[in-house]
Amino acid sequence: MIELNFTPDSEPQLLDRAEAVAGWTLGELADALGIAVPDNLLRHKGWSGQLLERYLGASAGSKPHPDFEQLGIELKTIPVDLQGKPLETTFVSVCPLTNLGGLRWEESPVCHKLRAILWIPILGERQIPVAQRTLGMPLLWRPSPQEWQALQQDWEEIMERVALGEVESITARHGEVLQLRPKAANSRVLTDGIGPDGSPIQTLPRGFYLKIPFTHALLQRHFHNN
DNA sequence: AGGTGATCATCC
DNA sequence: GGATGATCACCT
């Protein structure tokens, strides 16, 4: 029996709650919460994340503050294979494409979002039915000085290009640990941006994502030392 | 339209 | 096979 309508009051309490379901399948957790499990994630891409939000008492919905506001912690589920390697990149935040004057790393959405992340690994390749994918041990992560530096460097290089009107020439190959990719309902969605000559253009909305080797390394570092 | 939660699916 | 570019659902 698990408590419904749980809200974490402290970091250890949140971690305990997350650890309590390590080893459970998504089907078991969904059943316990009275939530239906989709056959696949094609039309339910955010389902796993929302399941864990409900279970852990994260404040749902779009908000400018962290999932666990008073704790300053963001929640991220991350699909991994049997070796613990992430199967997908991790979305961090949308990228501002206009009014970039004076925007510094320290006040950027990326920097703020990555201060503290509660990672919930979900073991499950695409061939495994959603209900049978299993929850791994959670990891409360704060970037090391080296990680901060790598993140900041990529962010500054990418944002400089955006500010110079080069957003449409940036690909996901840029950046060592952080990449810029489309983040929209589809490729026809447009938003305001800066063109090559500094004039306004309409362009695809972009988001920052953490590359797989980066998240892989932070997971490995944790589980090798614990 | 733009944000949240992400994974899909094609191309290399 | 794996990463890039595209996409899906829901909310405000």
Side-chain angles (χ1 to χ4, degrees):
Chain A
M1 214 67 227
I2 65 176
E3 180 189 344
L4 306 176
N5 300 317
F6 167 87
T7 303
D9 292 323
S10 69
E11 193 172 303
Q13 192 189 14
L14 174 59
L15 220 36
D16 282 348
R17 174 89 170 171
E19 289 173 356
V21 290
W24 288 34
T25 64
L26 294 185
E28 289 169 341
L29 181 57
D31 286 349
L33 296 173
I35 296 171
V37 186
D39 288 333
N40 60 69
L41 300 183
L42 175 55
R43 295 186 177 280
H44 304 271
K45 295 182 180 181
W47 185 81
S48 303
Q50 286 154 3
L51 177 68
L52 271 295
E53 281 184 348
R54 298 265 288 267
Y55 171 66
L56 295 172
S59 43
S62 58
K63 281 170 269 61
H65 53 67
D67 297 310
F68 301 103
E69 186 172 15
Q70 78 171 58
L71 302 178
I73 297 172
E74 288 284 346
L75 175 65
K76 290 281 180 199
T77 56
I78 182 166
V80 300
D81 68 14
L82 292 168
Q83 284 72 239
K85 180 186 173 184
L87 298 170
E88 298 284 351
T89 55
T90 304
F91 172 69
V92 179
S93 74
V94 296
C95 176
L97 300 179
T98 56
N99 305 136
L100 306 176
L103 179 58
R104 301 172 352 175
W105 163 247
E106 290 77 9
E107 60 208 16
S108 70
V110 174
C111 179
H112 283 258
K113 294 238 177 184
L114 296 181
R115 291 202 149 117
I117 305 265
L118 177 61
W119 296 98
I120 310 285
I122 294 179
L123 198 166
E125 280 150 25
R126 257 131 108 153
Q127 57 187 200
I128 300 176
V130 177
Q132 292 174 31
R133 297 179 191 178
T134 60
L135 291 156
M137 281 295 286
L139 158 58
L140 183 57
W141 169 77
R142 290 189 173 82
S144 67
Q146 294 75 22
E147 287 167 335
W148 275 128
Q149 197 212 322
L151 291 163
Q152 177 174 359
Q153 182 172 320
D154 281 354
W155 182 87
E156 289 179 343
E157 288 179 10
I158 290 169
M159 290 310 297
E160 178 173 16
R161 298 198 57 169
V162 171
L164 289 173
E166 300 170 1
V167 62
E168 297 196 318
S169 68
I170 301 174
T171 75
R173 295 167 195 81
H174 290 95
E176 291 296 316
V177 300
L178 205 57
Q179 64 184 180
L180 195 69
R181 303 223 307 278
K183 173 60 172 169
N186 59 61
S187 60
R188 283 149 265 133
V189 175
L190 295 173
T191 191
D192 296 338
I194 303 169
D197 54 3
S199 64
I201 61 169
Q202 290 295 106
T203 191
L204 192 53
R206 317 294 164 103
F208 283 104
Y209 295 77
L210 296 176
K211 291 188 172 183
I212 288 175
F214 182 77
T215 52
H216 190 193
L218 74 86
L219 291 176
Q220 291 291 54
R221 193 180 74 222
H222 177 77
F223 294 115
H224 279 356
N225 295 331
N226 289 275

